[in-house]
Amino acid sequence: MLRAAALARTTPRGVCGLSRNSVATLSPSTKSSLSATTAVSPSVRTLRTAATQSERTFFTRNVLAARPTPLLKTQKTAGVKAVAKGKGYSTEATVAVEEELPLKYGMLYFDNAYPLKMGWWDVRYSLLRPGWKSLERKAKTELVPPENGMPFHFKIGGIEPRLKDGGMFVHFSYVHPKSYTTKEALREIESRCEQHLISHDHYMWFNFQKVRAFLVKGAPFLEDMASRYPNSRIRIEYTGDLGVEGLYSLFRKYGKIMDITLLPPVKDMPRQAILQYNFMRASTSAKSCLHGAEINGIRLNVTYERTLQSNAIWAWLNNHPRLSVPLGGMVLAGVSFVIFDPMRVFSMHAKITQLFNMNEYSVLRWLRKETYGRLTRTLVESQATGWHERENDEEILRNWLRIPPETFAIVHGPRGSGKTELVDYVIKQKKHKVVIRCEELANARSDSELLSNLAKQIGYIPLFQFMTTINNMMDMAITATTGQKAGLSATFEGQLKKILDTLTIAIQQASPTKEMSNISPEAIMKKIEQTIEEKTRRAEAAHDSTCLPTTSLTSKRAERRAAKRKQKQEESSWCDPDDIPVIVIDGYMSREKGPHTKELWTFLAEWAAVLVENHVAHVIFVTNNVAASKPLAKALPSMTFETVVLSDATLDSSLEFVYKHLDRDEYPDLIRTVQTIGGRLTDLEMFVQKVKSGMTPDDAMNDILTRAVVEVRKSAFDFDSKDDKVLNWSTLQFWTILKKLAS
């Protein structure tokens, strides 16, 4: 009865829904059960049941502030002393006295829990994002001390990650004891968490730095704006007067401060300051913990400062164009030299060695013949050696190609005499060759078109012709603003020289005489003769080996391997004349008037002279201009040229050429027709083509004559020209000469 009465006096009204009078009127059995429930115990029991593990949700401070403050019922003992009547002793009993304490909430911020999200390109944000359950388990088991080891009945309420800032918020609840103030209790909780992290040495594997814990003093602004990312500079807005010392004392605990700048005050606007940390982790912790905090009645708003100031190097480059523009040109030239020049050399080397030419592979030639060749009509192939007059010229060129390069070869002849066909037939079996068609270059309408055509012919890829136009425009703009040329514009001569120099490098890589520039032609010729003799000896040995009896398979393979190794070693020192590159400049000086034609002929002659003087390649000039030897003599003085002069074929040779392509029985009498057409190779080829297409010989002859008359009138009387002063002869003079030639 004494215990029940004490319990009734100490139990406040409203606990468990019972008042003091209700407790007094309870039955003995009910009182005993109630006493057992409220027995003395060190545990704590709350009136509001805590949420279970599955019912916990992630919440913010604003949500928690809207909840009604629950009460916590704690037990403390009270001693009651009684003296027994008639007994010589006294007894002492304890009773449980329950009191109500407020339950409060707070937040902790754990820094360095995740990598910082530096921008939209940072993929670590999605790769390292853990699940909610693993996050909560990590916070409870590793970062946050155990609940039974924390003071003030510490309970974790929820976890909220901040992946952009690289940390997480831990919501917790605690008891507000009377012996501690709220500030002291929170400081004690923060101190316990820091001691726990220090004692366990929690290092994160992605940056090998420790995890830090801070008490959240404000109301964090939890945003997910895509354009805002952490920065080591933060902007602080506050109402009041804090000064540099006040700001330093508040923000120093989160990291080492580099500088604090107080911005000039603006009327009716809060004060602002820019604070610079040494590390970005410090700024994220300061923003997460102090945003929305009130310090002595002063509210703080903390945001990341956007770096808008330009780079110092970029500003210097903009302020010094006379130095920055040439430096930029040097950088671009260096990039071109390191990256694009090797690509161009490889492309030109593949063009010289016919690496991607289908006609160089027998399998591809057969496949093309059996597929595409069956669907198209085969044209008449030019037979440059079909005439007796051309066999001697062909032999001259072949013998000249067997000696070391030391001079030019010039093939003269009128238009249509078969110069190009003769040269193409002679170099058909050459492995390394380059053909430059000068008529296509001379007929170009602009410098860029000329360079583009030349680059296509020799495989100069990539050209980047548009960059020349951009550089010229930039040079003009800089000249107009600064008064001095920046040197960005490239002249036609400079671009042409660069293309030819690159072609020289590619030719040297393919030439077997690239390292013989200091050797005399006689020594090179001796080496060529040794190579030819060795090739002949091997061919005879291979022929004789086919007649010998076969040996065992194993010994035969071993002999082949040894022979191949020995052959490679010997061939490395060979100088095969078939491997010396041949450069054919077709249509040289085909046009003397035109934009940059004079520079084109001069550069081609000087470039060819360099190749010949260094014994790198043979150079053949094909021209119909009798004055072509003058610029060539200037480029390569004191040297005699190998000259081949082609003329029209005789009547017998012309008939032999025609009957080689047409049936003699079907067309028995073609002497008059061929005699009228003449011995010009192109006219004879056109005649054969027209007859094969179904025309009669007379009709084909008349068509060729009509075309020739049109060309003669056009050249003689210059019908296309509007200026009569262009002609250097009169009509009477022309007809007089024409009659004398016809007679």
Side-chain angles (χ1 to χ4, degrees):
M1 294 298 294
L2 181 60
R3 184 176 181 180
L7 180 62
R9 288 194 302 270
T10 58
T11 302
R13 184 177 179 85
V15 177
C16 300
L18 299 177
S19 63
R20 292 189 180 94
N21 298 331
S22 300
V23 174
T25 57
L26 293 175
S27 62
S29 60
T30 305
K31 291 179 181 180
S32 61
S33 62
L34 181 60
S35 300
T37 305
T38 58
V40 179
S41 173
S43 62
V44 178
R45 181 167 54 92
T46 59
L47 296 179
R48 181 179 181 273
T49 305
T52 61
Q53 183 72 16
S54 60
E55 294 173 347
R56 287 178 179 169
T57 57
F58 301 101
F59 53 88
T60 62
R61 185 177 180 87
N62 297 331
V63 177
L64 293 176
R67 294 185 177 182
T69 304
L71 299 179
L72 187 72
K73 184 173 67 175
T74 61
Q75 299 175 347
K76 67 178 182 178
T77 59
V80 180
K81 188 175 182 180
V83 180
K85 294 182 179 181
K87 304 289 184 180
Y89 60 91
S90 61
T91 60
E92 184 175 346
T94 59
V95 295
V97 179
E98 297 186 357
E99 59 178 1
E100 296 178 353
L101 296 178
L103 188 65
K104 294 194 173 183
Y105 304 95
M107 279 194 296
L108 288 170
Y109 180 75
F110 286 85
D111 184 24
N112 200 39
Y114 307 100
L116 287 172
K117 186 173 179 61
M118 308 302 296
W120 60 268
W121 42 264
D122 197 345
V123 298
R124 299 176 300 174
Y125 179 81
S126 56
L127 296 178
L128 300 178
R129 181 178 180 178
W132 300 114
K133 293 183 179 181
S134 61
L135 175 64
E136 188 173 1
R137 183 170 58 253
K138 177 181 178 181
K140 284 188 174 182
T141 58
E142 298 182 10
L143 302 182
V144 182
E147 295 180 352
N148 55 5
M150 294 291 288
F152 314 126
H153 307 295
F154 179 87
K155 298 289 183 181
I156 296 177
I159 306 296
E160 189 168 3
R162 294 297 301 162
L163 301 181
K164 180 190 293 187
D165 297 331
M168 64 180 179
F169 291 104
V170 176
H171 299 267
F172 64 90
S173 62
Y174 67 99
V175 174
H176 189 302
K178 292 182 179 180
S179 59
Y180 284 84
T181 62
T182 303
K183 187 176 181 179
E184 293 174 349
L186 293 175
R187 188 180 299 171
E188 180 66 20
I189 293 174
E190 182 184 14
S191 176
R192 292 288 185 90
C193 292
E194 292 177 354
Q195 294 175 4
H196 175 76
L197 293 175
I198 293 174
S199 61
H200 288 77
D201 289 335
H202 287 288
Y203 287 92
M204 303 308 291
W205 62 270
F206 49 82
N207 58 3
F208 301 102
Q209 295 181 7
K210 290 184 178 181
V211 181
R212 301 184 302 170
F214 300 101
L215 182 68
V216 179
K217 299 180 181 180
F221 176 41
L222 307 179
E223 46 82 18
D224 57 351
M225 288 182 279
S227 62
R228 292 192 179 184
Y229 296 99
N231 193 354
S232 59
R233 292 167 56 90
I234 57 176
R235 178 181 290 269
I236 307 167
E237 296 181 357
Y238 57 94
T239 56
D241 188 9
L242 283 177
V244 176
E245 295 182 0
L247 294 173
Y248 181 84
S249 62
L250 287 175
F251 289 87
R252 177 59 183 87
K253 66 176 297 184
Y254 302 103
K256 190 174 182 179
I257 298 175
M258 182 180 296
D259 188 24
I260 299 176
T261 303
L262 298 179
L263 300 182
V266 181
K267 186 178 180 181
D268 298 333
M269 293 291 292
R271 300 287 300 273
Q272 294 184 357
I274 303 297
L275 191 143
Q276 174 78 39
Y277 279 106
N278 280 358
F279 301 100
M280 197 177 297
R281 290 284 182 182
S283 63
T284 56
S285 301
K287 177 183 177 297
S288 300
C289 297
L290 291 181
H291 179 77
E294 291 188 4
I295 309 298
N296 299 327
I298 300 175
R299 178 179 173 82
L300 301 177
N301 292 329
V302 184
T303 56
Y304 295 122
E305 175 69 7
R306 294 187 178 182
T307 305
L308 299 178
Q309 63 179 6
S310 59
N311 191 290
I313 299 177
W314 182 254
W316 184 88
L317 293 175
N318 289 334
N319 296 330
H320 300 81
R322 295 184 180 181
L323 297 176
S324 60
V325 173
L327 288 176
M330 292 174 60
V331 171
L332 291 177
V335 172
S336 176
F337 178 77
V338 173
I339 298 177
F340 297 113
D341 280 2
M343 295 173 57
R344 292 163 180 161
V345 171
F346 171 77
S347 177
M348 299 169 81
H349 184 267
K351 185 81 173 181
I352 295 170
T353 57
Q354 311 295 319
L355 182 61
F356 303 111
N357 189 2
M358 294 180 57
N359 296 326
E360 295 296 322
Y361 303 96
S362 58
V363 177
L364 297 179
R365 286 200 304 268
W366 174 84
L367 184 63
R368 183 178 180 179
K369 179 181 177 181
E370 296 298 327
T371 54
Y372 178 75
R374 293 181 178 273
L375 302 177
T376 58
R377 185 178 60 187
T378 304
L379 299 177
V380 176
E381 295 183 0
S382 176
Q383 298 291 334
T385 59
W387 304 344
H388 298 291
E389 295 85 350
R390 298 299 165 84
E391 292 180 357
N392 186 26
D393 299 332
E394 176 193 351
E395 189 63 25
I396 291 174
L397 286 177
R398 291 188 184 277
N399 293 333
W400 179 77
L401 292 175
R402 292 190 184 100
I403 64 176
E406 54 181 344
T407 185
F408 297 145
I410 303 176
V411 180
H412 279 292
R415 290 182 181 273
S417 58
K419 304 181 296 296
T420 303
E421 289 78 3
L422 174 64
V423 175
D424 291 343
Y425 186 82
V426 171
I427 68 172
K428 185 177 182 180
Q429 302 299 329
K430 288 290 183 179
K431 299 178 181 179
H432 306 150
K433 51 191 174 183
V434 178
V435 180
I436 300 177
R437 309 292 182 185
C438 294
E439 290 187 2
E440 184 180 355
L441 305 181
N443 294 329
R445 293 170 293 181
S446 61
D447 301 344
S448 60
E449 184 178 356
L450 190 151
L451 295 174
S452 300
N453 294 338
L454 178 61
K456 290 179 182 178
Q457 291 182 13
I458 63 178
Y460 187 84
I461 300 172
L463 179 59
F464 295 136
Q465 189 63 28
F466 67 93
M467 291 297 299
T468 304
T469 305
I470 296 175
N471 292 337
N472 293 337
M473 295 175 62
M474 292 178 61
D475 196 9
M476 293 175 59
I478 294 171
T479 304
T481 54
T482 61
Q484 295 182 359
K485 289 187 177 181
L488 293 178
S489 60
T491 61
F492 168 77
E493 293 80 4
Q495 297 180 69
L496 181 60
K497 186 176 182 301
K498 181 181 179 181
I499 293 176
L500 295 178
D501 290 344
T502 309
L503 179 58
T504 303
I505 297 174
I507 294 173
Q508 287 178 344
Q509 293 181 358
S511 176
T513 60
K514 58 184 177 181
E515 299 178 356
M516 301 181 184
S517 58
N518 299 326
I519 303 177
S520 62
E522 292 78 9
I524 300 176
M525 187 63 195
K526 186 176 181 180
K527 201 168 186 179
I528 291 175
E529 292 175 354
Q530 293 176 357
T531 303
I532 295 175
E533 292 176 0
E534 183 65 22
K535 290 178 67 175
T536 306
R537 186 186 63 80
R538 286 189 178 183
E540 293 176 355
H543 177 72
D544 296 340
S545 63
T546 56
C547 302
L548 297 176
T550 58
T551 57
S552 62
L553 183 61
T554 307
S555 60
K556 196 172 183 180
R557 288 180 178 177
E559 291 176 359
R560 286 180 179 177
R561 293 194 189 99
K564 285 183 179 180
R565 286 194 298 267
K566 186 177 180 181
Q567 182 179 355
K568 288 182 179 180
Q569 293 176 359
E570 293 179 355
E571 288 179 357
S572 61
S573 60
W574 280 9
C575 184
D576 193 349
D578 293 336
D579 293 338
I580 300 177
V582 179
I583 312 300
V584 178
I585 302 178
D586 189 11
Y588 183 73
M589 290 190 68
S590 59
R591 184 177 180 182
E592 298 186 22
K593 295 182 180 180
H596 299 294
T597 52
K598 186 177 180 180
E599 293 85 352
L600 176 63
W601 309 136
T602 303
F603 271 100
L604 287 177
E606 293 176 353
W607 169 71
V610 172
L611 295 178
V612 171
E613 288 176 349
N614 292 289
H615 313 300
V616 175
H618 293 287
V619 181
I620 302 175
F621 286 91
V622 181
T623 179
N624 58 357
N625 194 332
V626 294
S629 58
K630 293 182 180 180
L632 297 180
K634 291 181 181 180
L636 197 64
S638 67
M639 294 294 293
T640 58
F641 303 143
E642 188 71 32
T643 305
V644 177
V645 180
L646 302 183
S647 59
D648 293 343
T650 61
L651 180 60
D652 295 337
S653 299
S654 300
L655 286 173
E656 183 181 356
F657 175 80
V658 171
Y659 281 125
K660 188 177 292 185
H661 299 284
L662 299 178
D663 189 4
R664 188 183 293 268
D665 297 334
E666 186 177 356
Y667 305 101
D669 188 12
L670 293 177
I671 298 177
R672 184 184 62 84
T673 305
V674 173
Q675 187 177 8
T676 304
I677 294 175
R680 192 64 55 86
L681 178 62
T682 54
D683 294 340
L684 294 175
E685 288 179 351
M686 187 179 298
F687 173 75
V688 172
Q689 290 285 353
K690 291 181 179 296
V691 172
K692 281 191 172 184
S693 63
M695 297 178 66
T696 62
D698 292 338
D699 293 340
M701 179 190 66
N702 293 330
D703 185 69
I704 293 174
L705 291 178
T706 303
R707 292 175 181 271
V709 169
V710 172
E711 292 294 329
V712 169
R713 288 180 176 178
K714 182 178 178 181
S715 302
F717 303 111
D718 199 10
F719 290 150
D720 295 337
S721 177
K722 298 180 181 179
D723 191 1
D724 296 336
K725 296 181 181 180
V726 174
L727 297 176
N728 296 325
W729 57 82
S730 64
T731 307
L732 183 60
Q733 291 174 340
F734 174 77
W735 281 116
T736 302
I737 295 175
L738 190 63
K739 287 181 180 180
K740 290 183 178 181
L741 291 174
S743 61

